[in-house]
Amino acid sequence: MRTDAHGPDPGAGSRAGRETGTGPQPDAGAEPKAGAGPRTGTGRPATRTGGPPSTPTARPAKPARAGRVAVSVVFAVHGTASGTFATRIPWLREHLGLSPGWLGLALVFMTAGASAAMPLAARAAHHHGPRRALAAVSPACCAGLVLPPLAPALGWLCLALFLYGCGLGLMDVAMNAQGVRVEAEYGRSVMSSLHGLWSVGTLVGGAGGVLAAHAGLDARVHLGLAAPLLAAAAVVAARWTPDREPPGQPESARVGSAKREDEAPPRFAPPTRGVVAIGLLGFCAVFAEGASMDWSGIYLADVTGAGPGLAASAYTAFACTMALARLSGDAVVRRFGPVATVRAGGALAATGGALVVAARTPPAAAVGFALIGVGIAVVVPLCFAAAGRTAAAAPGQAIAGVATLAYASGLAAPAAVGWIAESTTLSASFGVVTVLLLGLVAGARVLGT
């Protein structure tokens, strides 16, 4: 998708591109002028905040705005699919008569599938282009929704969840790589709002799943109806997403260039030191997210004595505040930069974690979980954005590395909290979560490199 076509006059398009920061970019292999640094669309040197240059008064080109809307729809579809499936897990457990332990084992296969498939997304984008790759993996992800409820036994369920996880992982990396492209064309932070729409999608999918469950709708019917609708929305939206690398990417990272096969991104490659550092920052945030999502209700019930309805409010407070913080997070990032934003967010989340540990009444614990949600909201979007800007790897490859490291904690967090609680107390478990949240304050500087 080109962003430098503004009219029949080529010179006018070039000038408009320079004014908005989306026009023709200098050749990636050209030597920069001595002493020249990144500049904003206003002609002033950009401050070193680790994010893209900010041009708050410039209106992005129409193709860039269309690309942002399209990528936003894809994020929302992915979130809706995730939220829809999560609400039917109780149906799967009841349908197959699984104990909590066997169900937990089966769900591990979903995360394993996502982790295994994520590194393949960069090669798909290299061979077919980022737009076509996203259009291909999105319906595959949505189609995976129909497999788990069709499983007749535990073994088949594990296989179905593995395949569904592969689709989730491929679509996750592909849409985040497209988000990086949109952010580069905009010249300012947009990743937080994209992830905010993913959070909104999970709430929408969850609400629809709750209604379907209360109506007694068979999960095979429910997911069978949802999958093609979500796939159609994703495929249509993918056609309007960018189809080139972000401006300023090195030639070795450009997709669609005439490159030899041996120069394609490898199927599996160890992440660079910078990618590992960013991934570990995401690990801390996702660990806190997974622990809060899975254990907040139990914490209110067991530690503060809340009833079932009040206990559920902890997750609601966490999820809603996280979604709202992500939707408004880009303005904060543009104002203060990613490093300062993550440091402040980490401090706020750690304060919430300490409040959870000390809480002995439901309102105090619910407020603590809400603060955790606000504090960690923008961390993962900023980690993906930072990975997409690393010069050592293609954006999709770097994003896959960060996603694999960060999301691994989503698998580890629920079990780790349970093990620590079994040996000590649930409050002690969230003491560990609080320590990891302090790691956001200490490690935020990696987003400025």
Side-chain angles (χ1 to χ4, degrees), residues 83-91 203-226:
T84 299
F85 174 74
T87 60
R88 303 322 303 255
I89 291 177
W91 184 94
L203 295 174
V204 171
V210 169
L211 292 176
H214 277 296
L217 186 63
D218 190 293
R220 290 166 290 195
V221 176
H222 174 208
L223 299 182
L225 292 173

Side-chain angles (χ1 to χ4, degrees), residues 403-430:
T404 302
L405 288 170
Y407 291 162
S409 66
L411 172 63
V417 169
W419 292 334
I420 296 171
E422 187 74 20
S423 302
T424 56
T425 64
L426 197 51
S427 296
S429 297
F430 277 90

Side-chain angles (χ1 to χ4, degrees), residues 184-206:
E185 292 182 349
Y186 261 65
R188 59 177 185 261
S189 175
V190 301
M191 287 292 284
S192 181
S193 63
L194 294 177
H195 282 256
L197 288 170
W198 183 91
S199 297
V200 171
T202 62
L203 295 174
V204 171

